[in-house]
Amino acid sequence: MGSHPVINNRIADMENGFGMLAKTLRKQGELVIAGHRNADGDCLGTMSAFYNLILSLGGKPTLLTSDPIPENYLFLPGMGQVQVCDAYDCGGCALLLLECGTVERSGISLSNYGETTNLDHHPDNTFYGSINIVNSDASSIGEMVTGFFKSFFSSEITPEVSDALYVAIHTDTGGFSYSNTSANALSATEYLVVKGADAGKVCAKVYQENRLERIRLMGHFLSGIQVDNTGKIGTGIIRLEELVRYHCSPADTDNFSAYPRGIRGVKASIFMMEISPAVFKVSLRSKGEWSVNLTAMKMGGGGHRAAAGFVIEGRAEELVSEIIQNLKEENEESNLSHR
Ligand SMILES: [Mn+2]
């Protein structure tokens, strides 16, 4: 089977799925919402939008993440209510998982949950939900959920919801600079601005409220970036010891992966962060010409063509050479011509 029927099925699933999710939300019960590990602007902006929606429908939202919320997203409504936990008993409630390709990707040991809605835009999603809403053509789940509000809850799009979904789309498209900045992403964004999103205000909160410690860590990180002997692969590493020295947490490295990629001549980049001794969270990025997801998959993770990742144990230097080797194999001319 070619790729088209699969994509069509996913879009059909998406439209059906949103109708089913709308019904679940209108039941006005309790809904548990969990994001993925190290939740980002797309995940948290969308979580905030659902939080607002459920409250305005008279329901009770419970918000969960496995990691502390990065400070620059704390202004989003609901973020103060998020429970940071590694296990949660849902008590039979319906569950909504945001950008989790598997239930485990929430980073939370979830138990005793009822109807499960799986909302994602990553192509490696495993369709584990009772409702699966997956569209790998979407820039962000923020874009998908904007369409959902437009279809089912247009009178519930308050300026607060518009701001939150604007943050989701803006952060996942790199401020409308990545190749996922589609016509649909932009028309969803236009709709949000019409509905009251204050673009200048939210972007100032997301991008211009950095802690001085984060900026200093970034300075140290930038001066340590390396480029391989071909000039095509940039690498930056943050070690645990450096986080401690600069009084930072993993959340302070948000978007660091953009810098080794942003070098002239670089086709793909590696950002490695040590999350526990000798265990690294690896983020691979490309500018679109190269792909990075096969390397990520080979090393135990997954993701998109231009943005993928995995977690791995080992010595940083050895891991870097293994990743570089894999990226080259994935993208060298001789291999490309065989596909
Ligand atoms: Mn996303």
Side-chain angles (χ1 to χ4, degrees):
M1 225 170 47
S3 59
H4 274 291
V6 175
I7 289 168
N8 286 338
N9 280 342
R10 288 186 171 198
I11 288 170
D13 255 337
M14 183 176 83
E15 285 165 357
N16 251 331
F18 271 139
M20 290 159 76
L21 179 60
K23 264 186 206 157
T24 300
L25 292 172
R26 288 207 165 96
K27 278 185 216 149
Q28 303 193 359
E30 189 174 339
L31 183 72
V32 178
I33 308 179
H36 61 83
R37 239 180 256 122
N38 299 305
D40 58 7
D42 185 23
C43 193
L44 297 171
T46 303
M47 184 181 279
S48 174
F50 276 114
Y51 171 82
N52 278 281
L53 173 61
I54 293 166
L55 286 186
S56 61
L57 294 172
K60 183 176 177 293
T62 298
L63 310 180
L64 308 176
T65 59
S66 63
D67 304 277
I69 310 290
E71 283 181 18
N72 56 330
Y73 298 123
L74 283 175
F75 76 95
L76 292 167
M79 292 300 102
Q81 318 294 315
V82 173
Q83 301 178 44
V84 179
C85 58
D86 50 23
Y88 191 83
D89 182 335
C90 301
C93 283
L95 173 66
L96 169 60
L97 284 168
L98 304 177
E99 304 195 284
C100 295
T102 60
V103 178
E104 291 68 38
R105 215 159 297 167
S106 65
I108 303 167
S109 170
L110 295 160
S111 57
N112 203 13
Y113 46 85
E115 180 191 74
T116 303
T117 304
N118 161 24
L119 174 60
D120 195 9
H121 69 116
H122 294 88
D124 60 347
N125 192 283
T126 56
F127 286 72
Y128 54 84
S130 22
I131 303 172
N132 297 292
I133 311 171
V134 180
N135 179 8
S136 55
D137 291 334
S139 65
S140 52
I141 54 168
E143 173 189 330
M144 295 167 67
V145 171
T146 299
F148 170 66
F149 268 90
K150 200 173 173 181
S151 302
F152 296 97
F153 295 104
S154 60
S155 49
E156 275 80 17
I157 304 201
T158 58
E160 289 71 32
V161 169
S162 305
D163 280 346
L165 292 173
Y166 187 94
V167 167
I169 300 174
H170 196 276
T171 52
D172 250 27
T173 56
F176 311 113
S177 73
Y178 300 157
S179 58
N180 62 359
T181 309
S182 62
N184 199 51
L186 291 170
S187 63
T189 307
E190 183 204 13
Y191 179 72
L192 295 173
V193 174
V194 169
K195 287 290 184 179
D198 188 338
K201 184 193 74 184
V202 290
C203 287
K205 288 190 170 164
V206 172
Y207 301 110
Q208 293 166 28
E209 292 282 341
N210 291 290
R211 291 192 314 130
L212 179 57
E213 289 85 348
R214 165 171 148 87
I215 296 297
R216 294 217 161 114
L217 177 72
M218 192 187 293
H220 171 77
F221 169 73
L222 294 176
S223 63
I225 286 177
Q226 302 282 333
V227 173
D228 79 318
N229 57 8
T230 65
K232 291 179 180 171
I233 301 172
T235 302
I237 304 175
I238 289 284
R239 291 184 169 79
L240 276 177
E241 165 276 301
E242 294 163 323
L243 289 179
V244 173
R245 197 188 333 148
Y246 285 87
H247 307 286
C248 284
S249 71
D252 289 309
T253 69
D254 185 36
N255 206 37
F256 276 20
S257 58
Y259 296 99
R261 170 171 62 181
I263 299 167
R264 182 181 296 165
V266 162
K267 307 275 189 195
S269 68
I270 304 165
F271 170 53
M272 306 213 328
M273 183 173 58
E274 195 175 15
I275 51 175
S276 56
V279 178
F280 293 88
K281 176 177 181 277
V282 181
S283 303
L284 304 179
R285 298 288 184 270
S286 88
K287 289 172 176 164
E289 186 190 336
W290 276 31
S291 70
V292 296
N293 52 328
L294 297 182
T295 296
M297 226 183 285
K298 188 173 172 184
M299 301 187 77
H304 298 291
R305 180 182 167 80
F310 54 94
V311 172
I312 197 163
E313 193 172 352
R315 287 193 52 239
E317 297 70 22
E318 286 162 15
L319 291 172
V320 167
S321 31
E322 190 184 342
I323 299 164
I324 288 177
Q325 185 60 35
N326 285 333
L327 284 172
K328 285 179 177 167
E329 277 171 22
E330 181 173 349
N331 292 286
E332 299 286 74
E333 296 290 325
S334 56
N335 290 332
L336 290 174
S337 63
H338 286 297
R339 287 213 214 117

